[in-house]
Amino acid sequence: MHRRQLILSGLAATAGASGLSACATAPAADPNYPIRSDQEAQAYSADELIAAGSRELGIAAEAIGAAIERIFADQGDRPTAYIAGEEGSGAAGVGLRYGRGALHMKDLSASQEVFWQGISIGWDVGGNASRVFTLVYGLYHPDMIYRRYPGVEGSAYLVGGVGVNYQRADGIVLAPIRTGVGLRLGANVGTMAYSRQRNLLPF
């Protein structure tokens, strides 16, 4: 019996030491890139986004407010991030779009640069240079933004004089709000890829 107690005591001590070692060697979370669950993610209110969007796009709060309220109604939730930037695009059957902006999240100490490029095929003619303010849903870590998002440009609509459409992939929804000069006509189907650096190839 005495021998059995010694063995059990030794196993308990070994397990305790292993637990302490695991705790000591576990990597500390990076405060600049926290990973949060759906319940813990900090979201933006409509008022915060209207103020930021009006500033970034240089338009009246009433104009972008109508678009943001429509997006909130469509999604039934609040976004966890937004992207403010600008882009250029053109099409003659095959369309190309390139953009650059800054990703903002409440959990980030600073904004994160992001680039996007896309290609589309369809009945689409014209050119466009736009400032873009994109609401982002379902993003809980900044690096999750870097992927390809299929979208249907023909589903875009105008609200308050600005254009809105949706891109979706793996539970993340992007709602770009665009305003600018130029003309894009028609409907097309394509993809948009978001990356850490500018890519000349649109896919």
Side-chain angles (χ1 to χ4, degrees):
M1 179 67 70
H2 179 66
R3 182 180 179 184
R4 181 181 178 185
Q5 289 176 340
L6 288 176
I7 292 173
L8 291 175
S9 299
L11 291 173
T14 301
S18 300
L20 290 174
S21 175
C23 292
T25 57
D30 187 340
N32 293 321
Y33 299 93
I35 300 178
R36 294 179 174 271
S37 69
D38 296 12
Q39 291 76 24
E40 296 176 329
Q42 297 189 53
Y44 287 94
S45 68
D47 289 342
E48 289 175 313
L49 293 169
I50 290 171
S54 176
R55 180 180 64 252
E56 296 291 345
L57 296 182
I59 61 176
E62 292 76 10
I64 192 170
I68 288 175
E69 289 174 2
R70 168 71 180 271
I71 295 170
F72 269 54
D74 287 347
Q75 298 302 314
D77 200 358
R78 299 195 301 170
T80 54
Y82 70 85
I83 301 171
E86 54 190 14
E87 67 179 22
S89 64
V94 175
L96 298 176
R97 188 187 300 273
Y98 294 92
R100 175 181 181 177
L103 173 69
H104 298 264
M105 298 182 71
K106 285 191 172 183
D107 288 331
L108 287 182
S109 58
S111 62
Q112 183 165 311
E113 190 172 43
V114 61
F115 296 87
W116 59 92
Q117 47 280 323
I119 187 169
S120 60
I121 300 175
W123 186 77
D124 194 5
V125 179
N128 183 272
S130 304
R131 299 178 73 173
V132 186
F133 186 76
T134 301
L135 276 56
V136 185
Y137 288 85
L139 187 77
Y140 306 109
H141 187 282
D143 288 347
M144 292 171 64
I145 195 70
Y146 302 121
R147 65 186 69 209
R148 186 179 309 281
Y149 298 84
V152 180
E153 290 285 345
S155 67
Y157 54 82
L158 292 175
V159 181
V162 298
V164 179
N165 76 301
Y166 294 106
Q167 302 157 2
R168 296 179 175 87
D170 299 328
I172 299 174
V173 178
L174 308 184
I177 303 172
R178 295 184 174 93
T179 181
V181 297
L183 179 64
R184 291 288 296 274
L185 298 175
N188 59 63
V189 177
T191 65
M192 191 74 68
Y194 287 72
S195 58
R196 292 178 175 82
Q197 62 279 324
R198 186 183 303 280
N199 294 325
L200 294 179
L201 294 178
F203 42 76

